[in-house]
Amino acid sequence: MKWYMIQDTLKHEIGTIDTKIQRNGENIIIITDVNLPQSTKPWVDSTVVKMKNFSPIYHSSYNQNRDMAINYGMKVTGYHVDHKSGDKIELNESPTISFFDSSAYSQVIRFLPLAEGYTCTLDIFDFNPNATTGTMAVHVKDVSSAQFTTKTGEREVWKVYVTDDISDNQANIYYYIEKSTGILLQQEVDITGRKMVMIREGI
């Protein structure tokens, strides 16, 4: 996906996001490469979930700002290293509810029983030493039908409106998911006057 920042009428390309989804036995591996021209190190996120229900097994994120890894089991353990300060924070939590990993919930949304007016709440786990760490909620606030214009014509999509506790529900997030394939064609994030758009390449 091409990643853009929108300012007034100007669209500035930030970089690209390449997501690979692979089956490995009874698990699904999601590998995301974020390519930023100004970055001095690769940015790679890896997530492993169970195929039958997307329950999390492992998540890691490595980039020029931090190293982070989480292991999910009876306890949630892991670490976060800030490259600027050198600080290392250990994670050891015992959640009392079931949840998805925060990095995987955008994939989970594609598999929900989407329909006009559909709403739901998803529980997720997020590890952020600079904000809240632990279980929190994702709110699917509305689903509507829409037409999405591509180079090859119009496509029928579900427009899914989401907020989440990660941003204190200040970010308005929109997913445009093709009805016939479940493919994510575009994602928009609008927060405090700033807007980002991720558009699938080749459409």
Side-chain angles (χ1 to χ4, degrees), residues 17-49:
I17 303 170
D18 182 20
T19 302
K20 298 180 178 68
I21 302 175
Q22 306 167 345
R23 177 177 176 176
N24 182 12
E26 296 181 352
N27 299 333
I28 293 173
I29 302 173
I30 305 167
I31 300 174
T32 303
D33 288 291
V34 181
N35 300 296
L36 305 175
Q38 73 276 17
S39 180
T40 57
K41 289 183 64 177
W43 178 353
V44 180
D45 284 15
S46 301
T47 304
V48 182
V49 301

Side-chain angles (χ1 to χ4, degrees), residues 19 29 32 34 40 43 46 49 53 60 63-64 73 78 83 87 111 113 115 129 144 167 171 183-184 199:
T19 302
I29 302 173
T32 303
V34 181
T40 57
W43 178 353
S46 301
V49 301
N53 57 12
S60 66
N63 59 47
Q64 65 179 359
H83 288 171
D87 292 341
F111 295 97
S144 58
S167 68
I183 292 173
L184 176 64
I199 304 173

Side-chain angles (χ1 to χ4, degrees), residues 108-126:
V108 173
I109 287 173
R110 296 170 49 218
F111 295 97
L112 295 174
L114 301 175
E116 292 279 352
Y118 176 82
T119 62
C120 73
T121 298
L122 305 174
D123 292 309
I124 61 171
F125 187 94
D126 191 61

Side-chain angles (χ1 to χ4, degrees), residues 181-198:
T181 64
I183 292 173
L184 176 64
L185 301 180
Q186 181 169 301
Q187 180 181 349
E188 299 172 359
V189 181
D190 196 339
I191 181 169
T192 60
R194 294 180 294 126
K195 185 174 182 178
M196 292 185 295
V197 177
M198 285 73 79

Side-chain angles (χ1 to χ4, degrees), residues 97-114:
I97 61 173
S98 299
F99 52 81
F100 301 105
D101 181 80
S102 60
S103 68
Y105 91 71
S106 61
Q107 301 297 335
V108 173
I109 287 173
R110 296 170 49 218
F111 295 97
L112 295 174
L114 301 175

Side-chain angles (χ1 to χ4, degrees), residues 10-187:
L10 300 176
K11 185 166 71 171
H12 173 66
E13 184 175 335
I14 298 173
T16 60
I17 303 170
D18 182 20
T19 302
K20 298 180 178 68
I21 302 175
Q22 306 167 345
R23 177 177 176 176
N24 182 12
E26 296 181 352
N27 299 333
I28 293 173
I29 302 173
I30 305 167
I31 300 174
T32 303
D33 288 291
V34 181
N35 300 296
L36 305 175
Q38 73 276 17
S39 180
T40 57
K41 289 183 64 177
W43 178 353
V44 180
D45 284 15
S46 301
T47 304
V48 182
V49 301
K50 293 181 181 179
M51 186 171 66
K52 65 179 181 180
N53 57 12
F54 261 79
S55 59
I57 297 172
Y58 174 80
H59 173 65
S60 66
S61 181
Y62 299 100
N63 59 47
Q64 65 179 359
N65 297 316
R66 57 101 192 273
D67 291 348
M68 182 180 73
I70 308 172
N71 291 286
Y72 293 99
M74 295 299 292
K75 288 189 174 184
V76 181
T77 60
Y79 65 89
H80 180 285
V81 177
D82 186 306
H83 288 171
K84 186 175 182 179
S85 66
D87 292 341
K88 182 177 182 179
I89 296 175
E90 301 283 349
L91 176 67
N92 191 335
E93 299 272 336
S94 299
T96 57
I97 61 173
S98 299
F99 52 81
F100 301 105
D101 181 80
S102 60
S103 68
Y105 91 71
S106 61
Q107 301 297 335
V108 173
I109 287 173
R110 296 170 49 218
F111 295 97
L112 295 174
L114 301 175
E116 292 279 352
Y118 176 82
T119 62
C120 73
T121 298
L122 305 174
D123 292 309
I124 61 171
F125 187 94
D126 191 61
F127 180 24
N128 185 348
N130 299 315
T132 302
T133 288
T135 54
M136 53 193 71
V138 172
H139 309 280
V140 177
K141 302 180 77 70
D142 186 54
V143 176
S144 58
S145 294
Q147 294 284 327
F148 190 89
T149 303
T150 69
K151 296 175 183 177
T152 58
E154 297 291 316
R155 300 196 192 185
E156 293 281 340
V157 299
W158 293 118
K159 182 180 179 180
V160 185
Y161 170 40
V162 175
T163 66
D164 60 41
D165 293 354
I166 297 174
S167 68
D168 292 326
N169 297 293
Q170 296 303 302
N172 297 303
I173 308 167
Y174 297 90
Y175 296 88
Y176 295 82
I177 299 169
E178 188 171 32
K179 289 184 178 182
S180 62
T181 64
I183 292 173
L184 176 64
L185 301 180
Q186 181 169 301
Q187 180 181 349

